[in-house]
Amino acid sequence: MKKQIAFIFDLDGVIVDTAKYHFLAWRNLANQLGFKFTEEHNELLKGVSRVKSLEILLSIGKVELSEEEKQKYLVQKNTEYLSFVNKMTTDEILPGVTDLLDYLDANKITYALGSASKNAPLILEKIGLYNRFTALVDGNDVSKAKPDPEVFLIGAKKLQMKPENCVVVEDAIAGVEAAKVANMYCVGIGDKEVLNKADIVFKDMTGFTKDFLENLIN
Ligand code: BG6
Ligand code: MG
């Protein structure tokens, strides 16, 4: 018998590779504040909220700022980030994503977005996927950031599914932790060693083969 399951997708690093745009904007801010910001540093910001990302960046540069300055730089960084987002098109959907969504639609499996990004609705519009999701939960809807499970629990509720019947797809350590705390099955996208708390890890979204999906629902 087929199991009733639903999917909840992270956005950045799962559906699109926006980390490169976050990196350019954060690096410019770091340079402006007088220190270097590397791609390794950028890894620390994956899955982390915008405000927390600034805190991490400032601790890397050992820079202290007033609340007012922090607000100013958050706006500046996001404005620059949005200049890249506004140029995004359907071409930026990562390999494997469209095939997976087509499979889920064909099998009447619903799916939601569960992202930390406040820019998630705009990004989905830009890449033409906004209307495909049954529910959207993003950085504007949560009071607690991943690894808190709030974002995924709201997603499950909106899909009217029990957490244990939800499959989360995540590329960040904090997101994998959130999914496991929520009692959901978690597919990690990235490095097996890094995402070692996930139930299974694929190096990218093409890992969702027909065999894997059939096993999951049967
Ligand atoms: C997450 C990204 O999805 O969203 C983080 O992995 C980012 O790197 C966070 O900081 C918040 O994004 P935004 O778009 O609200 O600044
Ligand atoms: Mg992510």
Side-chain angles (χ1 to χ4, degrees):
M1 214 184 74
K2 277 192 178 178
K3 264 189 274 171
Q4 257 303 336
I5 59 165
F7 272 61
I8 306 179
F9 292 96
D10 174 47
L11 176 67
D12 298 311
V14 167
I15 292 174
V16 281
D17 174 21
T18 41
K20 58 188 179 207
Y21 302 138
H22 281 295
F23 173 62
L24 294 174
W26 285 128
R27 188 181 61 181
N28 278 346
L29 176 58
N31 293 351
Q32 184 184 338
L33 294 171
F35 63 94
K36 281 214 171 87
F37 183 76
T38 65
E39 301 226 17
E40 277 97 78
H41 289 143
N42 197 50
E43 287 299 308
L44 304 172
L45 309 188
K46 286 191 177 167
V48 174
S49 73
R50 196 182 306 168
V51 170
K52 186 82 203 293
S53 295
L54 178 64
E55 297 299 340
I56 296 172
L57 181 117
L58 295 176
S59 71
I60 291 167
K62 300 186 178 59
V63 172
E64 280 186 29
L65 296 177
S66 67
E67 266 320 301
E68 207 179 311
E69 286 169 314
K70 283 183 193 169
Q71 285 311 317
K72 183 183 89 183
Y73 288 126
L74 282 171
V75 172
Q76 180 191 306
K77 182 268 169 179
N78 196 50
T79 304
E80 188 179 358
Y81 176 64
L82 286 180
S83 72
F84 299 115
V85 167
N86 277 313
K87 289 188 214 123
M88 289 177 83
T89 66
T90 52
D91 290 349
E92 297 209 30
I93 299 174
L94 288 171
V97 172
T98 304
D99 285 347
L100 174 57
L101 299 187
D102 289 346
Y103 179 94
L104 298 180
D105 288 343
N107 287 277
K108 298 195 169 32
I109 298 169
T110 55
Y111 44 90
L113 190 85
S115 167
S117 170
K118 294 188 170 179
N119 296 307
L122 174 67
I123 294 171
L124 286 182
E125 262 176 45
K126 288 282 164 193
I127 60 171
L129 292 183
Y130 186 87
N131 291 317
R132 288 194 74 165
F133 289 79
T134 301
L136 299 181
V137 190
D138 61 46
N140 304 292
D141 304 311
V142 294
S143 54
K144 287 167 264 167
K146 300 169 186 177
D148 189 281
E150 186 184 20
V151 63
F152 296 136
L153 292 173
I154 297 176
K157 213 170 190 180
K158 286 196 174 185
L159 292 172
Q160 296 180 298
M161 292 294 287
K162 285 188 187 151
E164 60 265 36
N165 294 331
C166 292
V167 177
V168 168
V169 189
E170 251 299 343
D171 72 311
I173 299 170
V176 170
E177 267 179 44
K180 294 317 297 172
V181 176
N183 196 23
M184 297 179 180
Y185 184 83
C186 184
V187 180
I189 300 297
D191 187 334
K192 244 199 260 181
E193 310 290 316
V194 178
L195 303 177
N196 52 32
K197 289 196 185 145
D199 294 287
I200 189 166
V201 179
F202 298 139
K203 73 174 180 355
D204 59 40
M205 293 294 280
T206 61
F208 283 97
T209 59
K210 218 165 160 248
D211 276 357
F212 172 79
L213 290 162
E214 272 167 15
N215 266 328
L216 201 64
I217 59 177
N218 286 318

